[in-house]
Amino acid sequence: MAGGEDHLNPIPPSLQSYTWLDMSSLWFSMIVNVPSYYTASSLVSLGMSWYQALLTIVAGNTILLFPLLLASHPGPLYGLSFPLLLRPSFGIYGAFVPSLLRALVACGWSAVESWIGAQSVFILLPSSFKSSSSWVLHPVPYLGTSVLEFLAFLLFLVAQLVILFRGMNAVRFLSKFSSPVLLGLTGWLFVWAYTKAGGFGPMLSAPCRLDPTQFWAVFFPSLTANIASWSPVTLNISDFTRFVKSERDQVLGQVWLPVFVGLWSFVSLAIISSTEVIYGEIITSPIDLMSEIDSPIIVKIIAFFGIILAIITTNIPANFVAPANTLVSLSPSKFNFAQGAIATAIVSIFFQPWRILSSSRSFLYKWLVGYATVVSPITSILLADYYILRKTILDVNGLYSTSTSGPYYYVRGFNIPAFAALGLSIAPLVPGFLHELGLVQQVGEVFVVIYDNAWFFGFFSAGIVYLALSYLNRNGGTRSKMGLLEPLWSQSD
C-alpha cells in the first residue's frame, strides 16, 4: 500500500467497535438539527398541510434508505473509506473527481449552516449597536445581503475554524451538550405552540393551500428534495460504517432513519403550523420565530446559544472535515489539514447561502434538487459497479496501486464508462436547473419534469448507462493482475 496514504488504510476488525446503537445515535444526532426544520417548514410554506409534508418527508427518506444500506455494506466488510471505494468505478485517479464534487456539496452545506448560525449571532447583537450602525444594515445590491450580516457570517466561519484547530476533542466535548440543548429548546417551543394555539386541534388546523393539480406539481420536486437532503451522507456513508462491527449492526443501526426523521419532522411541522394560528402567517425560520416570541431576554440568549452550539457541532465534523481531507488527498505535498479547512471556509463564501435560504423554493428546488443532479449519478455508478460488476469483491491491494497494470488503472487512471455515464445522466438535467435558477426563461416541459425528478433520473440513467458501457468496454467483473480478490482478512457477523 502506498506509504503516503496511511489515513486511507483499511480499518482492521480489532478497531471496528461501533454497534447498531452507536449508528442509531449518530443518525439521531445528525437528524436533530436546524436545516431539517427548514426542510419541513419549506413544504408548509409552499402550500402543503402538515400531514402532507410529513408523508412527503417520510416517503423520501424511506426511498433513500435502500441506497443508504447498500452503500454501507463495504464499510464493515473491507474497512474502506469513501475516496477508496470510488476507485474501482472511476479509476485510481478518476476517483478524485466525484470525491471533489462531494466535497463541494459539503462546502455548500457548510455555508448554509454557517449562515443560520450567523443569523443567531446577528439577532443577539444589541439593538443600540444596530441602530447606531444602520448604514450597514441595508442590503448591498451586488452582495445580496447587508454588510453587518455578511460580517457575522465571516465571523461564524472563523469561529468554527478556531474550534476545529483546537482538535476534534473540543468538538466532541461541545457535542455532548448540543443535542440535549436543541431537544430542550424544541420541546419548549412545542409546549409554547400547544399552549398559545389552544391544543392540538388548532395547532394542526392549517389546511392545504394547493388544488390537486398544484399539489402534484409541488409534491414530486419536494419528494426529490427530501431524498436529496441526506443523499450526500448516503454517498460517503462508508466513512462511518467502516468502524462498525458487522453488517447486521450497520443495518439495524440505520433502518430507523425514516422513523427518526418522521418524529423530528412531526414536532417541527406542529410548531410551524401553529405559527399561522398564532401570528396569522407561517414563520418558517426558527430564528425568526424565537425573535417573535415574547419571552425573557435570558431565555432568548440561551435559545440562540443552543442553536449556535448545535450548528457548530454538526457543521464542523460533517462539512469541514470531509472537504479538508479531500483537498489533502488531492495533493498531500501542497495541502495540510489546516489549509484544507481554510480553503473549505473560503469556498463556502462563494455559495452565498443568504440566496439559498432566501425562499422555500430556492432552498428546496435550487439547492437540494440542484445537487441531487450530481450526487445521485455518482451513487448509482458506485453501487452498480460494486454489486453488479464486481459482486461485492474488491481487490484491496489494487486500490492503492498506481501501476499501469493495476486493476483500477484503466486509461491513465480514469474509467471512461463511469465518466461517460456521469456526463450523459447530468446533461439532460442542466436545462431544468438553469430554468430553475432563472438563467434560461423557457425550456421544454420534458426538461422541467426530468429536473423535478432529478434524483430518480440521475440514479437510474447513470446506473443503466454505466453497466451497458462497461460490458461493451469489457471492464466489468473483478479481473486483477495482483491476485487478491477478497478482503485482507476474513470476517463474519
Side-chain angles (χ1 to χ4, degrees), residues 76-140:
L77 180 61
Y78 293 98
L80 296 171
S81 63
F82 166 64
L84 280 173
L85 290 174
L86 288 169
R87 293 180 179 183
S89 51
F90 286 90
I92 200 77
Y93 296 131
F96 287 130
V97 175
S99 186
L100 191 59
L101 290 172
R102 171 63 183 91
L104 285 174
V105 173
C107 288
W109 268 119
S110 172
V112 168
E113 296 220 37
S114 296
W115 178 253
I116 296 171
Q119 288 296 292
S120 297
V121 173
F122 179 78
I123 293 293
L124 288 173
L125 292 176
S127 300
S128 57
F129 174 78
K130 294 177 185 176
S131 59
S132 64
S133 309
S134 58
W135 65 274
V136 294
L137 291 175
H138 299 294
V140 179

Side-chain angles (χ1 to χ4, degrees), residues 176-298:
K176 293 179 181 178
F177 305 98
S178 60
S179 290
V181 169
L182 190 57
L183 282 172
L185 171 61
T186 306
W188 178 80
L189 279 175
F190 187 85
V191 172
W192 169 86
Y194 178 87
T195 304
K196 293 290 288 185
F200 281 117
M203 193 177 182
L204 302 174
S205 63
C208 174
R209 302 187 305 279
L210 305 168
D211 63 38
T213 302
Q214 292 173 327
F215 174 79
W216 293 113
V218 170
F219 171 76
F220 285 109
S222 297
L223 178 65
T224 299
N226 276 278
I227 299 172
S229 181
W230 290 107
S231 63
V233 178
T234 295
L235 181 57
N236 71 295
I237 190 64
S238 59
D239 286 336
F240 301 99
T241 60
R242 65 196 294 233
F243 296 98
V244 177
K245 285 184 175 181
S246 68
E247 297 297 342
R248 178 179 178 273
D249 281 297
Q250 71 92 354
V251 172
L252 287 178
Q254 300 187 98
V255 75
W256 306 103
L257 170 64
V259 177
F260 290 159
V261 173
L263 289 173
W264 175 250
S265 298
F266 170 74
V267 173
S268 301
L269 288 165
I271 296 170
I272 295 157
S273 297
S274 70
T275 60
E276 187 169 19
V277 177
I278 299 168
Y279 295 106
E281 62 177 344
I282 294 172
I283 300 177
T284 58
S285 167
I287 310 295
D288 295 337
L289 178 57
M290 285 302 306
S291 300
E292 288 287 339
I293 294 175
D294 185 17
S295 59
I297 186 65
I298 186 64

